[in-house]
């Protein structure tokens, strides 16, 4: 059993959405560092869908992006391991 914090500014797991019409989303959490391993799992798939990828990470944040603008928001789960 692994206990993780998914509430507040230092959460290490979460569910977020890249809004429709945009290519990226920055997630702020004190759990993120430049050395973090960040795992992303999209919650649904569709034609033309691109999986969110970690494009940048730093102390206190990480950024996810997709290759193509989507008509619907792209919702995904994420998990940070330090």
């Amino acid at each position: 059993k692994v206990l993780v914090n998914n509430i507040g500014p230092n959460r290490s797991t979460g569910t977020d959405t890249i809004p429709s019409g945009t290519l990226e989303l920055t997630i702020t959490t004190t759990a993120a560092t430049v050395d973090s391993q960040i795992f992303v799992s999209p919650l649904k798939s569709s034609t033309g869908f691109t999986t969110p990828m970690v494009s940048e990470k730093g102390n206190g944040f990480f950024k996810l992006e997709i290759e193509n603008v989507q008509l619907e928001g792209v919702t995904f789960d994420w998990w940070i391991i330090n």
Side-chain angles (χ1 to χ4, degrees), residues 49-70:
F49 178 81
T50 56
T51 301
M53 297 176 291
V54 176
S55 62
E56 183 179 352
K57 54 187 175 178
N59 293 327
F61 78 96
F62 65 96
K63 186 181 289 187
L64 294 171
E65 67 180 42
I66 54 177
E67 292 179 3
N68 303 309
V69 172
Q70 301 295 301

Side-chain angles (χ1 to χ4, degrees), residues 17-25 65-66 68-70 72-74:
T17 301
I18 298 175
S20 63
T22 63
L23 293 174
E24 63 184 28
L25 177 69
E65 67 180 42
I66 54 177
N68 303 309
V69 172
Q70 301 295 301
E72 295 181 26
V74 177

Side-chain angles (χ1 to χ4, degrees), residues 16 35 44 52 66 69:
D16 285 283
D35 297 320
K44 79 174 199 173
I66 54 177
V69 172

Side-chain angles (χ1 to χ4, degrees), residues 1-8 10-15 29 31 39 78-82:
K1 184 176 183 179
V2 176
L3 298 176
V4 295
N5 181 1
N6 63 354
I7 299 173
N10 61 342
R11 62 190 180 138
S12 57
T13 66
T15 301
T29 172
F39 299 90
W78 55 267
W79 180 23
I80 298 172
I81 297 178
N82 287 314

